[in-house]
Amino acid sequence: MPRKLPIGIYEKALPLDIEWSRRLDLARNAGFDFVELSCDESPELQARMDWNARQRKALRDDVANSGISLMTMCLSAHRRLALGSDNPEIRENGLNLLRKAIAFCGDIGIRMIQIAGYYDYYGDIDEESEKRYVDALARGLEWASSAGVMLAVETMEGEHVVDSIRAGMRIVKQLNSPWFQIYPDIGNLAAHGFDVRTELECGRGHLVGVHVKDSRPGEPRRVPFGEGIVPFADAFRTLAAMDFHGPVLIEMWNDNRPDSMKLVGDARNWVLARMREGGLIDDATL
């Protein structure tokens, strides 16, 4: 049977100051199956988690009318509202945002929240940072499983983070829930110097999505596809051997450039070519 994987695009790759109906139409017309919504450090994007019933219904209607889904959320706001912080107020604010994000996703129909693997990005790391982080995730997991929303930790860039699938699997095994899994970023894995194929194998049976971007050592973002060190075809070949069928998300930041949609289209074509090269898809699926 031909393999058909959902191919998504990150919200920040698309024009920024437009209505959701327009954003979804642009993504669909560019050939994508879903858009990944962002909830980052900015107050503007975090404010969506407080939308009222009318605003949420409007977004559900836009999704229903578009023929494209909001399948996942990238919750990177915990870069600042650190779940592993030694400051109880910061930790509680991070948990409160996680609780609201889970409720938002359940209401909108978003199936998965990608949790950033930052213990405490801006703070001081101590021997308890990872434990506080995992304890916070355990609390969030109670809310997520009740709402039927998947939580999945992302492998991140930087120090004192969940930098590998191997590290993420320690948390998966500790929490021991079908509602908590791994959503790796192969660009971050490569930038850290890990063997991407070996890392993907470490997550066998627990990979619920993949972030796809290029990178270089010390340069985890905004590296054009094909100009970095990520072994895309090998990574996709490994996923094919694992019989992976989950969503593949092209992560880009186009910073509202006027040629954003051309860049998005070119990136999609480039990634699909590497997926075919690795045997993850074939021409019959396109």
Side-chain angles (χ1 to χ4, degrees), residues 12-280:
K12 293 183 180 180
L14 303 169
L16 300 180
D17 301 322
I18 57 176
E19 298 294 326
W20 267 108
S21 57
R22 177 62 175 154
R23 183 176 292 122
L24 293 167
D25 284 345
L26 287 173
R28 183 200 63 231
N29 292 338
F32 291 98
D33 301 300
F34 72 98
V35 173
E36 182 165 273
L37 183 143
S38 172
C39 181
D40 63 14
E41 297 177 71
S42 69
E44 295 78 14
L45 296 194
Q46 290 180 34
R48 293 169 173 172
M49 304 304 102
D50 293 313
W51 276 1
N52 59 34
R54 178 185 54 77
Q55 291 169 303
R56 295 183 184 203
K57 180 181 182 302
L59 180 54
R60 288 197 302 270
D61 289 345
D62 287 339
V63 171
N65 293 331
S66 71
I68 188 172
S69 70
L70 284 176
M71 185 181 292
T72 57
M73 172 190 287
C74 180
L75 181 53
S76 59
H78 290 130
R79 183 177 170 117
R80 184 168 298 280
L81 299 176
L83 297 177
S85 173
D86 63 357
N87 183 319
E89 182 178 357
I90 291 176
R91 210 160 56 245
E92 194 59 33
N93 286 340
L95 274 169
N96 186 48
L97 181 66
L98 178 55
R99 179 183 55 78
K100 291 193 291 186
I102 290 167
F104 178 89
C105 288
D107 202 11
I108 298 300
I110 296 172
R111 306 168 194 175
M112 187 190 311
I113 298 176
Q114 186 186 53
I115 302 290
Y118 297 119
Y119 301 140
D120 190 356
Y121 187 84
Y122 295 109
D124 296 323
I125 298 295
D126 61 35
E127 60 207 22
E128 294 295 313
S129 298
E130 183 176 351
K131 181 181 184 302
R132 289 190 294 265
Y133 176 80
V134 176
D135 288 347
L137 291 180
R139 287 185 62 187
L141 183 54
E142 294 176 5
W143 305 323
S145 56
S146 295
V149 174
M150 178 79 70
L151 300 184
V153 65
E154 178 184 12
T155 52
M156 303 307 300
E157 84 291 346
E159 299 180 355
H160 309 298
V161 298
V162 179
D163 59 358
S164 65
I165 295 176
R166 197 181 311 266
M169 281 302 300
R170 291 199 302 267
I171 302 174
V172 168
K173 291 176 180 178
Q174 187 173 344
L175 295 179
N176 191 30
S177 168
W179 296 100
F180 190 89
Q181 302 295 336
I182 303 279
Y183 191 151
D185 184 313
I186 62 174
N188 289 340
L189 291 173
H192 273 294
F194 292 113
D195 184 295
V196 174
R197 295 166 296 182
T198 301
E199 282 296 318
L200 290 171
E201 280 286 356
C202 289
R204 181 181 285 269
H206 296 277
L207 306 180
V208 293
V210 178
H211 258 193
V212 174
K213 68 182 180 192
D214 216 339
S215 66
R216 291 186 282 256
E219 202 174 351
R221 293 185 180 86
R222 294 179 170 83
V223 175
F225 283 102
E227 297 183 18
I229 63 169
V230 176
F232 288 96
D234 286 344
F236 295 140
R237 192 171 292 113
T238 300
L239 290 170
M242 296 165 62
D243 202 29
F244 175 80
H245 285 79
V248 174
L249 189 285
I250 295 176
E251 187 176 35
M252 302 173 66
W253 297 262
N254 285 329
D255 305 308
N256 219 22
R257 287 176 50 161
D259 60 347
S260 289
M261 294 313 300
K262 180 183 185 305
L263 295 174
V264 162
D266 290 346
R268 178 181 178 274
N269 291 337
W270 193 92
V271 170
L272 288 176
R274 303 293 82 72
M275 292 173 73
R276 288 193 296 273
E277 183 182 347
L280 188 57

